[in-house]
Amino acid sequence: MIVTKNDEAAARLFDDLRFYYDLSGLSETSLALFPRWETLPYEATAPHVGLIARRMNALHQIRTLPAAKVVTSIDALMQRLMPVEIFLRTVLTFKVGAAIEREALTAGLLRLGYRRVSVVEIPGEFSIRGGIVDIFSTAYDEPLRVEFLGETVESLRLFDPATQKSTAKMDRAMVLPAREYLRTGAPDAFAPSPADAEGRAPELYDAMQTLFDYFTAQPLLVFDQPAALKQSCVAL
């Protein structure tokens, strides 16, 4: 895990690593960027869903890829996260040929912070039209279309939201959380989360965890520009 002085430095370093991997013919699947929220705690604005998508993907890579290489900032590293077991329990998975009750799927998406709309346009939205469920999962850059035959998943594919044309077929797919405040067992679990919900997460979870807790083994730490990083720590 590489730690930088701020998010801007982390983004630049991440782009440099992607360029190097592409130039070397290496797979970028093990690379992950973990940014901080752009909002302050208790600020009446929800973190941008694009940032949440980045963060959720990074957490998923850390848990599923032993060789994951994560770039983050000291600010992001110090932010407390939902418990690991909550994150793992809320990831939804789809498989062609598997059976899923439509009501259970809708409930699961609402619990993960997704909003039901007529047409999906941005991450964190889903729509249901007959036997077709469109989900703009935070796990992908494009929306996911799940076609059902009864309660059975008949097909999974990504599509372009502008043209509605398929871009990739899949045998399996997943949906990661769209918010970081998940009231999985609460009576109001299906209600929309307030804008400042992420800042109130310590009120929801008995114990918050850190990025280190998501690693299955102790990560190797690399500090980018240690002197500048130390100054950033002092300023926090």
Side-chain angles (χ1 to χ4, degrees), residues 201-213:
E203 301 172 8
L204 176 66
Y205 304 121
D206 293 333
M208 301 287 285
Q209 294 189 296
T210 69
L211 191 59
F212 289 105
D213 294 309

Side-chain angles (χ1 to χ4, degrees), residues 41-180:
Y42 298 102
E43 192 174 45
T45 304
H48 191 278
V49 69
L51 288 178
I52 292 181
R54 277 279 195 189
R55 288 164 63 89
M56 295 299 98
N57 272 284
L59 295 181
H60 186 263
Q61 286 176 267
I62 289 170
R63 292 299 300 186
T64 58
L65 297 176
K69 301 168 184 64
V70 183
V71 182
T72 189
S73 65
I74 187 63
D75 283 352
L77 183 61
M78 294 182 68
Q79 285 182 333
R80 293 283 177 167
L81 306 172
M82 73 175 83
V84 176
E85 62 271 18
I86 296 291
F87 175 78
L88 296 177
R89 198 164 67 233
T90 53
V91 175
L92 298 180
T93 57
F94 298 91
K95 180 182 178 182
V96 172
I100 302 176
E101 292 184 5
R102 206 72 54 84
E103 289 185 4
L105 173 58
T106 302
L109 291 170
L110 291 173
R111 277 197 297 266
L112 291 185
Y114 284 77
R115 297 186 304 112
R116 185 168 182 173
V117 296
S118 56
V119 178
V120 298
E121 296 179 330
I122 61 173
E125 296 180 338
F126 76 98
S127 68
I128 300 177
R129 302 186 312 279
I132 297 176
V133 179
D134 289 342
I135 309 166
F136 207 139
S137 170
T138 53
Y140 307 112
D141 294 330
E142 294 179 311
L144 171 69
R145 177 158 290 165
V146 187
E147 295 190 25
F148 286 89
L149 182 61
E151 299 292 338
T152 302
V153 177
E154 189 174 37
S155 70
L156 296 167
R157 52 197 172 97
L158 298 177
F159 68 94
D160 185 329
T163 64
Q164 296 292 305
K165 291 184 178 180
S166 299
T167 58
K169 288 187 177 181
M170 311 171 75
D171 294 322
R172 296 174 180 269
M174 66 178 176
V175 175
L176 299 177
R179 297 294 299 267
E180 295 186 42

